[in-house]
Amino acid sequence: MKVKVSGALFAAALLTACGGDDSSSNNGLNISINESALLSAPSQPSLTSATVNDADSIILHSRNTGSIGDSATLDFNYLAQADVDNVLVRLTSGAEDLDLSVRASDYSVNEEADTFSSEEYIIFDAANNVNYSVSVESIESSGNFELILTTLNRETLKLAGGENLVKHSITGNENCGDGPYSIDYDDYSVINWKKGYIRTLNSDYKESFSAAEGNTFTIKSSDKETEDGYSYTSQESYTLTVNPETAVISGTGSGSSTEVDGETITCTWNLTFNGQVLL
């Protein structure tokens, strides 16, 4: 069973029924990240515009527009001409619930942004001469879309004032009675220190700081679902500390859950975070 972590640090495994907290917190941190420790990329690079159809090639620093039918998938090919860190893909559309994914021909990248929105983002590192399939999928809608392929910057990400993009390396273990199993992956979040919240890259989950002091904040959350003999409960707590001068962020977290659906499955997890504020 996969751990059902609800904290905003884990875009790959969150979105619990509670849906997060859309408000800002009274528990903000009065800090500012040293700009010299961040990537110097406030503005979107100049983009080449193109109209694309299924199986077309796209290039770095391009704005691609097209249309997609109902229950369809369009695949576009990006061949990296050099090693490029922090390639950013942004999908926007007026159509309902389009999904974005990126997969490498050498299997080094396999990323999905599967939210209920049609504004989705994926960040990945590209390797020279590797082909990447950038896919747009419609579930039950159709319409026009825009697909931007560029390098990481605040403008394309639509970061609000006071928001910083953070990359986390997350390691640890989980045990659901048949483990333990190791956890090791990278993830992104957006943090507003002064307003006291953390959200996912794709804005599908947002959580206010439960407590904050100095350069440290804590997030505590719980979830409870019951329906027709089924129940799910979880509790978790994460504490992270940022160094405003170096933009390094680190911390630990733990949680547990119990799911009852004919049988009872109890899971526990312990995590360590090491990351960097990028923008």
Side-chain angles (χ1 to χ4, degrees):
M1 175 184 175
K2 186 176 180 64
V3 169
K4 191 177 181 182
V5 182
S6 64
L9 299 174
F10 316 106
L14 46 78
L15 284 179
T16 60
C18 61
D21 181 357
D22 289 333
S23 63
S24 296
S25 169
N26 293 323
N27 295 311
L29 296 175
N30 188 27
I31 63 171
S32 296
I33 304 299
N34 179 12
E35 290 190 5
S36 65
L38 305 178
L39 298 178
S40 179
S43 301
Q44 181 172 267
S46 178
L47 303 178
T48 299
S49 296
T51 301
V52 291
N53 297 296
D54 187 32
D56 281 353
S57 293
I58 57 178
I59 62 173
L60 190 63
H61 302 311
S62 62
R63 183 192 310 273
N64 306 280
T65 56
S67 61
I68 189 169
D70 185 14
S71 302
T73 300
L74 303 179
D75 298 315
F76 307 105
N77 301 307
Y78 161 54
L79 178 63
Q81 302 297 313
D83 292 341
V84 184
D85 292 337
N86 301 314
V87 175
L88 171 62
V89 188
R90 187 185 82 189
L91 169 68
T92 53
S93 176
E96 184 178 352
D97 192 19
L98 299 187
D99 290 327
L100 175 68
S101 64
V102 176
R103 294 177 175 84
S105 58
D106 65 355
Y107 306 104
S108 60
V109 173
N110 186 6
E111 299 289 342
E112 296 182 1
D114 183 8
T115 73
F116 293 111
S117 168
S118 290
E119 180 174 308
E120 298 188 335
Y121 302 82
I122 287 176
I123 302 168
F124 68 98
D125 293 337
N128 183 39
N129 207 36
V130 173
N131 192 75
Y132 297 87
S133 178
V134 181
S135 301
V136 177
E137 181 181 6
S138 65
I139 307 302
E140 295 180 349
S141 63
S142 61
N144 297 326
F145 65 86
E146 177 185 82
L147 189 68
I148 290 178
L149 181 70
T150 187
T151 48
L152 198 59
N153 68 88
R154 293 186 63 90
E155 183 180 348
T156 308
L157 277 174
K158 299 183 180 180
L159 292 179
E163 289 188 333
N164 288 116
L165 176 71
V166 180
K167 182 177 182 179
H168 306 270
S169 293
I170 303 171
T171 59
N173 61 80
E174 61 176 289
N175 194 334
C176 294
D178 57 352
Y181 297 101
S182 62
I183 296 172
D184 187 354
Y185 65 99
D186 293 339
D187 204 359
Y188 295 87
S189 65
V190 174
I191 300 178
N192 190 314
W193 316 98
K194 289 183 172 62
K195 290 187 176 181
Y197 67 78
I198 182 170
R199 66 171 176 84
T200 55
L201 177 64
N202 286 289
S203 300
D204 50 359
Y205 192 94
K206 178 180 175 182
E207 190 76 56
S208 295
F209 297 173
S210 302
E213 183 176 359
N215 300 336
T216 300
F217 67 91
T218 298
I219 291 178
K220 295 182 178 180
S221 62
S222 61
D223 184 27
K224 183 176 182 179
E225 305 172 38
T226 57
E227 183 179 0
D228 297 332
Y230 171 85
S231 68
Y232 176 85
T233 58
S234 69
Q235 309 80 35
E236 54 198 339
S237 178
Y238 306 98
T239 299
L240 290 95
T241 299
V242 62
N243 184 323
E245 290 303 312
T246 63
V248 171
I249 185 168
S250 59
T252 58
S254 62
S256 63
S257 67
T258 300
E259 185 175 37
V260 180
D261 189 10
E263 63 177 330
T264 299
I265 300 176
T266 298
C267 297
T268 60
W269 55 91
N270 294 278
L271 303 172
T272 298
F273 307 88
N274 290 287
Q276 185 78 26
V277 184
L278 298 181
L279 291 175

